[in-house]
Amino acid sequence: MNRVILPGSTIGLLGSGQLGRMTALAARRMGYRVHTFSPGEDTPTGQVADLEITAEYEDLDAIRAFAKGVQVITFEFENVSTEAAAAAAEIVPVRPHGSALHVTQQRSREKGFLADHGFPVTPCEGVHTLDELAVALGRIGVPAIVKTAAFGYDGKGQHRVASIEDADRVWGLVGHQEAIVERVVDFSLELSVVAARGLDGTFAHFGVIENEHRNHILDLSVSPARVPDDVAAEAISIARAVVEQLDYVGVLCVEFFLTRNGRLLVNEIAPRPHNSGHLTFDACVTSQFEQQVRAVCGLPLGATTQMRPAAMVNLLGELWTDGEPDWGGALALPDVKLHLYGKPDPRPRRKMGHVTALADTVEGAVEMAVAARALLA
Ligand code: AMP
């Protein structure tokens, strides 16, 4: 079904977090209506959508009923089951299609896809038992990281193993479930490419973004990344090959490690707009969220030109420890943009919002974004 979904139509979003919220804001600006579906109530997306449906993703009747009220369905949450995506696809176009989701929602499947298609990945092995874990650690070497195969994000389900004797303890921590064991990569930088593929196969990307994580959670993103041109070109060509191999429609992010000897390794694929692309909202002609709307609706992709160097820092729940942050203090910096996701409960490690700073240089943007966050505390 190659139908174009024109403004005035209704977009259905499975998932209701901040990615959905920002996609919904972009969609509404373009004259679309937005319905969101998730188990939550008064969600970040629901607060800005025309309609918030509260039901479980496993409730296929509810998914079908939701699909009947919209003209296209997309996701902001990638752990929707294949069955749910298929139930929706009986009724309306689902973009990206469910099989792209199926590949990327489980680490061992994703690693298998990447390796089978010749993409450079971190050495890793899948394990199902404690014995297999011990053998894999012997082969891969320590230090290693054990990650649950399913449903991992923001470092959830990830455990570092310093020695083979540690296997027992870590197997308990991963909950005795299928996992992958990866060598710890000695990287000089983490990078990402947020890319999009239109319904007609057109490709667009936002260049290479440089990322710093703290406790496995994204902390800082900087664009453009400070990397040599050949590294940037290779990262973009890998992202292009990934979207083409997946026959993808929509926005997708490929995350990389740049090793100390200059090699790019793919760490993960996110089949949706990505935290590292939030800075495109303020810095680019078309944001990753508008691009997602354009792609899934079958419209031409927009220009991704970046207007000024930009840096983004996440605002996690910890920032609320001593009460409400000093918003006015940070916004006194005029090139700082504040984004809050409408989450009522600032738990530690929870992404509550972000700030983006724009400057004439990336260094200036980083300095300002970090200063803005310090002023909030
Ligand atoms: P992930 O959920 O796999 O994207 O991991 C989140 C973050 O944990 C990454 O962005 C890295 O900062 C760190 N990490 C994950 N896997 C590895 C690895 N094999 N080697 C070094 N750092 C890693």
Side-chain angles (χ1 to χ4, degrees), residues 261-307:
N261 52 19
R263 254 195 100 207
L264 277 171
L265 297 174
V266 176
N267 175 34
E268 287 204 297
I269 305 171
R272 50 172 169 73
H274 188 257
N275 197 165
S276 64
H278 287 1
L279 50 76
T280 63
F281 217 154
D282 301 303
C284 296
V285 171
T286 307
S287 72
Q288 64 167 349
F289 304 105
E290 179 178 336
Q291 201 74 302
Q292 173 79 335
V293 172
R294 287 171 174 250
V296 304
C297 290
L299 294 172
L301 299 182
T304 53
T305 318
Q306 186 169 344
M307 294 174 289

Side-chain angles (χ1 to χ4, degrees), residues 73-262:
I73 283 190
T74 187
F75 312 88
E76 72 100 60
F77 173 70
E78 71 242 48
N79 291 326
V80 172
S81 70
T82 317
E83 292 74 25
E90 290 163 15
I91 296 158
V92 281
V94 173
R95 299 174 182 156
H97 54 75
S99 52
L101 217 65
H102 182 71
V103 169
T104 51
Q105 69 189 187
Q106 212 244 12
R107 287 186 196 277
S108 42
R109 260 196 310 265
E110 179 176 296
K111 295 272 185 194
F113 161 81
L114 290 167
D116 290 350
H117 289 81
F119 295 108
V121 286
T122 320
C124 72
E125 276 188 43
V127 297
H128 301 83
T129 63
L130 174 58
D131 284 348
E132 285 181 12
L133 174 60
V135 173
L137 284 171
R139 263 200 293 262
I140 294 234
V142 286
I145 297 187
V146 182
K147 302 178 179 181
T148 50
F151 304 144
Y153 62 95
D154 288 346
K156 291 191 181 112
Q158 287 194 22
H159 304 278
R160 212 178 153 102
V161 195
S163 69
I164 295 196
E165 291 69 51
D166 227 11
D168 216 350
R169 181 186 65 87
V170 168
W171 188 240
L173 291 176
V174 299
H176 306 263
Q177 54 176 314
E178 187 182 347
I180 59 162
V181 185
E182 257 179 43
R183 181 159 324 143
V184 169
V185 177
D186 183 23
F187 57 78
S188 59
L189 277 181
E190 289 193 75
L191 304 171
S192 58
V193 174
V194 176
R197 189 159 173 268
L199 199 56
D200 60 358
T202 323
F203 175 74
H205 64 84
F206 290 91
V208 181
I209 302 167
E210 196 179 311
N211 302 312
E212 267 177 42
H213 291 77
R214 200 184 278 180
N215 301 322
H216 297 268
I217 301 179
L218 184 66
D219 184 52
L220 167 74
S221 290
V222 183
S223 178
R226 291 159 287 186
V227 292
D229 289 350
D230 59 331
V231 171
E234 190 191 343
I236 291 163
S237 92
I238 290 174
R240 182 176 197 141
V242 167
V243 290
E244 281 170 3
Q245 296 291 344
L246 287 171
D247 191 21
Y248 196 83
V249 174
V251 168
L252 170 149
C253 176
V254 183
E255 292 182 74
F256 299 92
F257 297 124
L258 180 64
T259 66
R260 290 199 189 277
N261 52 19

Side-chain angles (χ1 to χ4, degrees), residues 317-328 338 340 343-344 346 352 375-377:
E318 287 84 339
L319 198 61
W320 275 251
T321 307
D322 296 323
E324 193 68 14
D326 176 12
W327 305 121
L338 173 68
L340 290 171
K343 297 181 186 177
M352 301 296 292
L375 287 167
L376 290 172

